[in-house]
Amino acid sequence: MATQPKHDVIIIGAGIIGLAIAHYVQQTGRKVTLVDRKGVAQEASFGNAGAFALADIFPLASPGIMRKAPKWLLDPLGPLSVRPQYALNIVPYLLKFFRASWPDQYRKSIVAQSALLDLSASEVDRMAQIPQIGTQIRTDGALQLYESEREFAASQSSWQARLEFGIEFEHLDANRLADLQPGLSGHIKRATFIPKWQTVNDPFEFAQILWRMVQQDGGALITQEVQAISKAGEVMLANGDMLSGNHVVVAAGAWSHQLAKQVGDHIPLESERGYNTTLPVDAFDLKRQMIFGEHGFVMTPLSTGIRVGGAVEFAGLDAAPNYKRSEIMLQKAKRFMPDLKTEQGTQWMGFRPSLPDTLPAIGKSAHTPNVSYAFGHGHLGLTQCFATGKLMAELIDGQTPSLDLTPFNPSRF
C-alpha cells in the first residue's frame, strides 16, 4: 500500500457535480484532485436529458402521491415502478418519502428547492459568460404538453404556485403551439410554454468542456474506484493506494451513501434509474425540449441527436437494465409526433441519486470534520451543479454560504 503526498481538496466523483465543485474550489485558490472509478462523466452525467430545469420546483414526494403510487407501481413499464425483487429493500426509503409528501414538509421542500434553483439560475448566467460554456447553452424554452382539458386543468394549481416564485410561463392556443412546434398529433390538446428553460448541446460534451477548464487550472484526475473512507478522512483506492487530503468531498452520485456510511453518516439515498433512446439528429425537427408530464418523459434536441427519455425505476444499483422502458417511451413519442423516425436509436440507462424529499445533501459530515457531501440531486444534477459548486467552495473556504443550508443538511433524516 502506497500513501501519496497529501492532497488539498479530494473530490470523489467526476460527474457534473464533482466537476462544478472542482471549478469553484479552484477559484478560491485551492488545488483539486478528482477521483472516479470510470473517468469523467461516465454515469448519470453522460446521457441525461440535458436541461437546466430552473422551473422544476416541485418535489416528487407531493400530497396525494401515495394514492397514485400503487397504480404506477403495478405497471412495470409505467412512469414510476419498483421491481418486485427490490420492494423490501426500498421500504425504509418509501416511509421517509411518504413523510416528505405531507403538506408541511412539501411546502418546506418547495421553498428550499426554489432558493437553490434561484442560485442555480444566477450561476448559470454567470458561467454562461465564459465563452466555451456559453456556446453550449441554448435558451429555447420548453413545452409542457397535455392530452386533455382535464389534465391541463389539473396542472393549474402548480402553475399558480410557480407564479409565487417568479417563474414565467405562457398557456398556449393551438396556433401559438403550432408555431413553437409543428408536427404534433391531435392527441395534444393544450400546452404551456416556459420561455427561460435552457438546455445544453450535449450533456457529456458539456461535462468534458468543464473538465478541460478544471484541468487547465491545475486539476488532476485519478481513475480508480474508492474502496473506503476512514473516519480520519483518508481515502483508500482499489489499487491499495491511500489518499490523504485537507478536505474530502463525496460527490459520487448514486454510490455516495455507501461511502458516507463508512464515516458514520447514514443517508437514505436511492437510485432512480432513468432510461432513454437517442435518435439521429434528423429523426424529427424538434425545436425545443418537450415535457410529457403525465407519461414521465421528455424529448430533447441535442447536437448529437434527439433524446427521448425519463421515467423512474427503483431496482437498485446491480439489476440489469430493462430497455422495454425505453421502447415504451419511444412508442408514446411516436404517437404524439407521427413523423418521428424511431429507427437507429441508441439506448441508455443511468442512475439518478435521489433523497426522499427531492433535495440534495449539501454540507459537512456529522462525524468527520474534513469530509463534506454533495449528492442526491435526482433529476436536477445538471441544473444545480453550479450552485452546488459555489456552496461547496464557500464551505471549504470557511465563508458564509450564499444560501441557508439547513434544508440540505445531510443529517436531516
Side-chain angles (χ1 to χ4, degrees):
M1 181 177 68
T3 300
Q4 297 191 10
K6 191 162 187 174
H7 298 257
D8 189 4
V9 179
I10 299 170
I11 301 170
I12 303 173
I16 196 64
I17 297 294
L19 293 168
I21 294 168
H23 170 74
Y24 278 82
V25 166
Q26 287 176 325
Q27 306 316 300
T28 67
R30 309 291 291 263
K31 297 293 185 182
V32 300
T33 303
L34 289 150
V35 185
D36 195 287
R37 62 178 187 163
K38 291 186 177 179
V40 172
Q42 294 299 309
E43 298 289 355
S45 300
F46 179 85
N48 61 64
F52 288 112
L54 297 168
D56 200 356
I57 64 173
F58 298 108
L60 182 59
S62 58
I65 194 170
M66 299 308 285
R67 292 194 299 272
K68 303 174 185 177
K71 174 185 173 183
W72 290 340
L73 299 180
L74 288 172
D75 180 0
L77 298 177
L80 189 156
S81 71
V82 177
R83 290 203 190 174
Q85 58 269 39
Y86 196 69
L88 288 178
N89 301 66
I90 203 173
V91 167
Y93 178 92
L94 289 179
L95 290 174
K96 291 180 173 63
F97 181 90
F98 174 56
R99 175 64 185 94
S101 74
W102 293 9
D104 63 329
Q105 185 57 51
Y106 178 67
R107 174 67 185 178
K108 290 178 183 177
S109 296
I110 291 176
V111 171
Q113 192 77 285
S114 298
L116 184 55
L117 288 172
D118 282 346
L119 181 61
S120 299
S122 63
E123 290 305 305
V124 170
D125 287 346
R126 192 185 69 78
M127 289 293 290
Q129 302 309 306
I130 302 172
Q132 56 264 52
I133 294 290
T135 55
Q136 293 294 311
I137 298 175
R138 307 172 177 181
T139 307
D140 298 323
L143 287 168
Q144 176 91 38
L145 303 170
Y146 307 97
E147 287 184 85
S148 66
E149 292 293 337
R150 177 200 59 79
E151 185 187 342
F152 176 70
S155 75
Q156 293 311 293
S157 61
S158 69
W159 291 114
Q160 288 304 308
R162 286 184 174 96
L163 277 179
E164 179 185 347
F165 294 97
I167 295 169
E168 296 179 27
F169 60 88
E170 175 190 357
H171 296 316
L172 308 180
D173 60 24
N175 290 334
R176 175 81 168 123
L177 175 57
D179 287 341
L180 289 172
Q181 183 56 68
L184 296 174
S185 75
H187 294 292
I188 301 299
K189 305 301 182 186
R190 298 293 296 267
T192 300
F193 181 49
I194 312 166
K196 291 187 177 180
W197 195 277
Q198 295 173 302
T199 54
V200 297
N201 286 343
D202 179 83
F204 176 68
E205 179 57 25
F206 189 80
Q208 293 292 327
I209 289 170
L210 188 54
W211 160 238
R212 288 195 285 272
M213 290 169 54
V214 169
Q215 196 174 30
Q216 288 166 7
D217 287 338
L221 173 68
I222 297 173
T223 307
Q224 280 286 330
E225 184 170 2
V226 173
Q227 292 284 75
I229 303 177
S230 74
K231 292 190 176 181
E234 294 177 311
V235 178
M236 180 180 289
L237 305 182
N239 65 358
D241 286 353
M242 185 73 78
L243 307 182
S244 177
N246 295 318
H247 204 97
V248 177
V249 180
V250 178
W255 291 265
S256 298
H257 62 306
Q258 298 173 351
L259 298 173
K261 186 177 180 181
Q262 295 173 359
V263 295
D265 296 304
H266 296 266
I267 301 174
L269 185 77
E270 276 291 341
S271 168
E272 293 182 26
R273 295 151 60 104
Y275 292 81
N276 66 45
T277 304
T278 304
L279 302 169
V281 173
D282 63 356
F284 190 81
D285 187 16
L286 192 64
K287 303 296 186 183
R288 52 190 46 82
Q289 189 172 77
M290 316 291 279
I291 305 167
F292 299 89
E294 192 76 2
H295 297 280
F297 77 94
V298 302
M299 297 180 64
T300 314
L302 303 173
S303 60
T304 49
I306 293 175
R307 185 157 291 164
V308 182
V312 171
E313 178 191 48
F314 291 108
L317 295 169
D318 301 320
N322 176 10
Y323 286 117
K324 288 182 180 178
R325 298 181 66 80
S326 298
E327 294 164 11
I328 289 294
M329 285 185 278
L330 210 55
Q331 291 170 17
K332 289 180 177 179
K334 177 74 172 177
R335 179 170 178 263
F336 300 129
M337 300 177 182
D339 295 333
L340 179 68
K341 301 172 186 174
T342 57
E343 302 81 21
Q344 301 178 19
T346 301
Q347 296 176 324
W348 179 83
M349 186 271 287
F351 300 96
R352 307 183 194 100
S354 298
L355 292 166
D357 57 4
T358 313
L359 302 177
I362 303 175
K364 293 188 175 182
S365 164
H367 296 88
T368 305
N370 70 327
V371 172
S372 294
Y373 302 125
F375 60 80
H377 296 77
H379 298 244
L380 298 174
L382 175 62
T383 303
Q384 296 171 343
C385 68
F386 295 139
T388 302
K390 180 179 179 65
L391 292 167
M392 289 304 304
E394 290 168 342
L395 273 179
I396 293 169
D397 203 43
Q399 304 175 35
T400 301
S402 298
L403 203 64
D404 177 11
L405 293 181
T406 303
F408 311 100
N409 189 326
S411 301
R412 67 186 183 272
F413 297 102

